[in-house]
Amino acid sequence: MLSTVVLYRNIEDDTQERDSCARLMPTTSFRSAIRPGSIVLGRYSVLPYYDELEKELSSRGSRLINSWREHNFIADAIEWSGPGGALEGLTPRTWRYDELVNLPEGSYILKGRTNSRKTQWATHMFAATRADVPVVASRLYDDPFILQQGLVVREYIPLRKLDNGLNGLPITNEWRTFWLVVNGIPIMLCYGYYWASHPERLDAASFPGEATEIAFKAAVRISDHANFFVLDLAETQDGRWIVVEVNDGQMSGLSMCSAEELYSNMADALRTIGGPRYSQDDDLPSALCIESVAQW
């Protein structure tokens, strides 16, 4: 049976997560300590040299929980939210910036394929009209980090707002969920309020059953493309729930998810079921069924 180890890069200002991880999962900060035949969960430790790390682990008979290809699928918003993308109908539509001619009139969000400048919402993210899109884009093109990713333009769907942050940033009813795919079945490990910078708004937020249903529906679709990922979901102004973002679970911050719950549930899932799905050559037992998955 394949064993799982967390390759954890120490983050000095977040010792609580590190300590929880080390207590509940086999954990190391050194690549050299990883035994051959391991599945490696690279917590905060896969970037910027993901491809190099994958090759090094492969040379010793181990592998990352998300391959380089799977990581790139998650990191490219077009893959899951563009036309024909995995989450079409569950998330705002997305276009490449060079497809600007195809944009209908409306409001838009601009970001890199992976990252945004949300703390500069009013000037570097939100375009109130189609005519404002090139103006916002020109500011982002001055940012080398965003420029190298390439720009995407996303449909703006107003969300249920709880407060205003810096530069008009909407603080919304948004939640982060962590998922692990075992034997092809996505398991929600934990969920928490997204806006850790505004914990005072948690009392006004909620994550109802409808949100959970949309989360599972989206997770089933993403589970064909990656093993460990995060889905951020939010309530729209008119009361619907949508997926806002998909992220690699290895590099995603906790927001207000519980580190204890994340690693405890991960350890239980791997111990009970036998390990994540990787290839038909891995002899892993099938021991879990989520009853509601079949309809999706």
Side-chain angles (χ1 to χ4, degrees):
M1 183 180 296
L2 297 170
S3 61
T4 303
V5 60
V6 179
L7 178 61
Y8 199 107
R9 178 176 293 156
N10 288 327
I11 301 177
E12 293 304 324
D13 62 352
D14 191 7
T15 58
Q16 182 179 1
E17 181 183 349
R18 181 196 64 199
D19 293 347
S20 294
C21 179
R23 187 172 64 256
L24 294 163
M25 297 279 295
T27 304
T28 181
S29 296
F30 303 99
R31 299 181 185 186
S32 58
I34 298 172
R35 293 182 298 177
S38 296
I39 301 302
V40 181
L41 193 157
R43 192 71 172 134
Y44 306 121
S45 61
V46 291
L47 295 178
Y49 304 114
Y50 201 117
D51 190 27
E52 174 190 286
L53 176 59
E54 180 178 61
K55 290 175 181 175
E56 179 181 341
L57 292 173
S58 178
S59 73
R60 291 186 282 163
S62 295
R63 64 186 81 173
L64 284 165
I65 197 164
N66 292 329
S67 70
W68 177 230
R69 176 182 56 80
E70 291 168 336
H71 170 79
N72 283 332
F73 169 86
I74 296 172
D76 187 351
I78 292 293
E79 291 282 357
W80 47 267
S81 62
L87 296 186
E88 188 171 30
L90 299 179
T91 192
R93 294 174 294 171
T94 304
W95 296 265
R96 293 181 176 86
Y97 185 68
D98 59 12
E99 298 175 325
L100 185 61
V101 67
N102 298 324
L103 293 182
E105 290 297 331
S107 299
Y108 294 94
I109 298 296
L110 278 77
K111 62 187 294 292
R113 285 175 179 258
T114 306
N115 301 96
S116 69
R117 292 303 185 207
K118 65 182 180 183
T119 57
Q120 297 170 282
W121 167 266
T123 56
H124 289 69
M125 193 167 182
F126 179 63
T129 70
R130 184 181 182 279
D132 293 321
V133 169
V135 178
V136 177
S138 67
R139 297 176 184 135
L140 287 172
Y141 276 132
D142 285 334
D143 184 330
F145 183 66
I146 298 295
L147 178 60
Q148 69 179 354
Q149 298 177 11
L151 292 185
V152 296
V153 182
R154 303 201 70 194
E155 172 188 18
Y156 172 67
I157 297 178
L159 303 178
R160 179 189 160 205
K161 187 164 67 172
L162 307 179
D163 201 351
N164 285 312
L166 291 173
N167 299 309
L169 175 66
I171 307 303
T172 58
N173 188 23
E174 186 172 350
W175 293 74
R176 170 153 289 185
T177 62
F178 279 83
W179 297 83
L180 178 68
V181 180
V182 181
N183 300 323
I185 303 296
I187 304 168
M188 186 191 291
L189 300 174
C190 61
Y191 67 93
Y193 182 55
Y194 176 82
W195 295 101
S197 57
H198 292 265
E200 71 280 0
R201 296 304 173 209
L202 178 58
D203 289 344
S206 62
F207 192 70
E210 179 187 352
T212 303
E213 290 177 8
I214 295 298
F216 270 110
K217 191 171 185 178
V220 169
R221 297 189 191 180
I222 297 298
S223 67
D224 288 335
H225 304 278
N227 292 298
F228 182 48
F229 55 89
V230 158
L231 299 175
D232 294 335
L233 295 100
E235 182 184 10
T236 67
Q237 205 171 68
D238 59 6
R240 297 179 296 113
W241 282 86
I242 60 173
V243 177
V244 177
E245 289 284 349
V246 182
N247 294 290
D248 190 326
Q250 297 173 104
M251 297 304 299
S252 299
L254 289 177
S255 288
M256 293 185 71
C257 296
S258 162
E260 194 83 10
E261 186 177 4
L262 171 64
Y263 294 108
S264 176
N265 286 340
M266 180 182 294
D268 286 346
L270 294 171
R271 181 169 53 248
T272 301
I273 302 165
R277 164 190 58 76
Y278 282 95
S279 76
Q280 295 179 350
D281 297 328
D282 295 332
D283 185 18
L284 300 176
S286 177
L288 180 70
C289 177
I290 298 175
E291 294 181 6
S292 58
V293 164
Q295 63 182 302
W296 297 320

